């Protein structure tokens, strides 16, 4: 694998030397399932680029969160995903497992993804900050600023067709606004031309189950935007858990 990564680094270095700032991926017409795969042959290149970025993060000490972490939670999923979910930052379980959204809130997200007719492996799941804030506090502005280039580069590599931001921090950060999440959710915004649907964080839903139908309504808009079939669900039902 490291041979492949070295090859990709060489190719990317070549583009960089030519002054090309964006990787010239060919975004071909949607394949059979337009939501799951966009370009087939680009997936390997994107996986390599994500691998190289992950290696670049190794041992990162860009902010004080690095001193308390067990793991850097880089993100996971389909490198060529049409749909990307972006959360806030790892919690306790994520820090232990080095995987995003694997705790209780993560199970709720997994169930939302399933209700949307998808699997976790079909989408890409990332976070604004990659190291666990102590006691699961909100990440601070400097911590967000230090980590932001990484999620931006993940988005650039994956080039999703739609992004769903989970909760206040990721929504406000990506959309560059202070508007509260309760007002942001439910409408599309744009990040670098990519439609962004802000919605409530799954951890909020664990405490406010009555609002699950709102997240489900947001998810339906996302499916519609992606041109995916809308799953038949009983009215008012959101992701279960
Ligand atoms: N909450 C987040 O925002 N991200 C995770 O990965 C887990 C919980």
């Amino acid at each position: 694998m490291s041979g492949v990564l070295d090859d990709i680094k060489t190719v990317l270095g070549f583009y960089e030397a030519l002054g090309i700032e964006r990787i010239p991926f060919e975004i071909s017409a949607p394949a059979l399932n337009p939501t799951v795969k966009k370009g087939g042959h680009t997936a390997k290149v994107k996986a390599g680029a994500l691998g190289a970025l992950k290696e670049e993060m190794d041992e990162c000490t860009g902010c004080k969160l690095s001193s308390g972490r067990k793991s850097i939670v880089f993100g996971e999923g389909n490198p060529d995903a049409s749909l990307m979910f972006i959360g806030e930052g790892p919690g306790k379980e994520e820090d232990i497992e080095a995987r995003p959204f694997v705790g209780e809130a993560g199970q709720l997200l997994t169930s939302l993804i399933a209700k949307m007719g998808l699997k976790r492996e079909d989408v890409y799941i990332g976070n604004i900050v990659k190291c666990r804030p102590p006691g699961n506090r909100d990440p601070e502005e400097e911590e967000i600023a230090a980590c932001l280039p990484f999620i931006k580069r993940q988005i650039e590599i994956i080039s999703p067709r739609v992004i769903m931001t989970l909760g206040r921090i990721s929504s406000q950060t990506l959309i560059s606004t202070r508007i509260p999440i309760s007002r942001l959710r439910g409408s599309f915004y744009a990040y670098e031309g990519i439609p962004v649907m802000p919605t409530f964080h799954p951890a909020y839903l664990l405490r406010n189950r009555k609002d699950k139908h709102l997240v489900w309504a947001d998810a339906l808009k996302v499916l519609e935007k992606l041109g995916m079939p809308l799953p038949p669900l009983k009215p008012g039902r959101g992701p279960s858990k």
Side-chain angles (χ1 to χ4, degrees):
M1 182 63 187
S2 71
V4 177
L5 287 181
D6 288 343
D7 289 351
I8 291 165
K9 273 185 187 164
T10 307
V11 172
L12 293 179
F14 172 69
Y15 286 133
E16 198 176 24
L18 291 177
I20 295 170
E21 287 179 353
R22 289 182 70 92
I23 305 164
F25 290 130
E26 178 196 328
I27 307 296
S28 56
L32 270 184
N33 183 343
T35 305
V36 175
K37 269 194 175 292
K38 300 193 299 296
H41 65 284
T42 61
K44 269 191 191 154
V45 179
K46 291 183 178 190
L50 287 171
L53 181 61
K54 190 173 182 204
E55 269 184 29
E56 212 180 286
M57 282 207 84
D58 259 5
E59 324 271 324
C60 175
T61 52
C63 80
K64 61 180 177 303
L65 294 182
S66 58
S67 60
R69 71 167 177 240
K70 288 189 173 60
S71 329
I72 294 176
V73 182
F74 181 73
E76 68 180 22
N78 179 356
D80 196 27
S82 288
L83 176 57
M84 196 165 168
F85 290 90
I86 302 181
E88 176 178 318
K92 187 170 180 225
E93 286 85 357
E94 289 79 18
D95 184 40
I96 292 168
E97 287 194 37
R99 294 181 57 210
F101 282 99
V102 290
E104 212 186 340
Q107 286 167 33
L108 196 53
L109 176 63
T110 306
S111 120
L112 173 70
I113 293 168
K115 282 201 177 344
M116 293 171 81
L118 295 164
K119 298 193 283 293
R120 272 178 77 112
E121 310 85 80
D122 295 328
V123 302
Y124 194 92
I125 305 174
N127 277 308
I128 295 285
V129 298
K130 314 289 195 225
C131 299
R132 182 189 180 206
N136 294 348
R137 66 157 167 77
D138 288 349
E140 294 169 4
E141 299 225 331
E142 315 85 82
E143 295 158 357
I144 292 173
C147 219
L148 196 55
F150 292 104
I151 192 71
K152 285 187 167 181
R153 282 166 69 189
Q154 284 171 295
I155 296 170
E156 191 178 352
I157 292 167
I158 295 160
S159 186
R161 290 174 52 216
V162 180
I163 298 171
M164 223 172 158
T165 45
L166 306 169
R168 177 181 72 85
I169 298 278
S170 64
S171 303
Q172 291 184 341
T173 303
L174 224 61
I175 299 165
S176 297
T177 181
R178 293 275 178 186
I179 298 173
I181 182 65
S182 55
R183 279 179 45 213
L184 281 177
R185 63 142 292 275
S187 302
F188 281 105
Y189 297 79
Y191 168 79
E192 300 280 327
I194 303 168
V196 175
M197 171 57 75
T199 197
F200 288 128
H201 194 285
Y204 166 87
L205 289 188
L206 290 173
R207 304 186 302 270
N208 298 275
R209 289 179 179 268
K210 63 172 184 13
D211 284 343
K212 282 201 291 183
H213 71 284
L214 296 174
V215 172
W216 182 239
D218 301 342
L220 289 177
K221 288 182 186 170
V222 166
L223 291 177
E224 205 172 4
K225 182 72 91 187
L226 289 166
M228 271 194 76
L230 304 185
L233 261 194
K234 288 182 202 149
R237 286 285 311 275
S240 63
K241 226 218 111 217

